[in-house]
Structure formats: structure tokens, C-alpha cells
């Protein structure tokens, strides 16, 4: 089960969206309404936990001369 963040879609001018979390299967469709209140909602995309490539680091170039210095291979 994944935890997703949703926020309410304001229905009146000046109304602030309210965020909440809900656990859903990745196979479940995104919610369109709050499960308790029925208010329209949208899924919020947030930054990940940075787990992709854990344990792998890119080499860093220490020189200048046209290198970006991030190990991207642009030299």
C-alpha cells in the first residue's frame, strides 16, 4: 500500500485547500472526492524519498574547463 497526498479543491474564492493522506493500492484509481465529506479533491505530486539509485554515486569532476562537475559525462 502506498500513501498518497490529496488536497481539497476550493469551491469558493478565498477558500484554502486542505491536505490529507490516504493509503491506497497503486492499482486503485485516484480519488475525485474526499472519502468522508464528498468535497472534490485532487492528488498532490510531491518529491520522493530519493530511494532510486541508493548506494550509487556519480563521479564528481574537480576541474573546470567546460565540465559541469556533476559526473554527467559532458566533457
Amino acid at each position: 500500500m502506498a500513501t498518497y497526498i490529496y488536497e481539497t479543491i476550493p469551491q469558493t474564492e478565498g477558500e484554502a485547500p486542505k491536505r490529507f493522506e490516504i493509503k491506497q493500492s497503486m492499482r486503485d484509481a485516484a480519488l475525485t472526492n474526499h472519502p468522508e465529506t464528498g468535497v472534490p479533491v485532487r492528488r498532490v505530486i510531491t518529491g520522493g524519498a530519493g530511494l532510486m539509485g541508493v548506494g550509487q554515486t556519480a563521479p564528481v569532476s574537480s576541474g573546470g574547463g567546460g565540465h559541469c562537475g556533476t559526473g554527467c559525462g559532458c566533457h
Side-chain angles (χ1 to χ4, degrees), residues 57-62 67-75:
T57 58
V60 177
S61 173
S62 60
H67 301 270
C68 70
T70 61
C72 71
C74 65
H75 52 287

Side-chain angles (χ1 to χ4, degrees), residues 9-73:
I9 300 171
Q11 301 298 298
T12 60
E13 188 174 328
E15 181 182 357
K18 296 177 179 84
R19 288 192 172 185
F20 64 97
E21 294 181 350
I22 190 165
K23 288 188 179 191
Q24 292 180 282
S25 169
M26 292 172 71
R27 295 179 183 165
D28 292 344
L31 297 178
T32 56
N33 296 87
H34 192 288
E36 296 174 4
T37 64
V39 173
V41 297
R42 60 183 158 227
R43 189 181 287 175
V44 178
I45 306 300
T46 61
L51 297 178
M52 294 181 70
V54 171
Q56 300 176 1
T57 58
V60 177
S61 173
S62 60
H67 301 270
C68 70
T70 61
C72 71

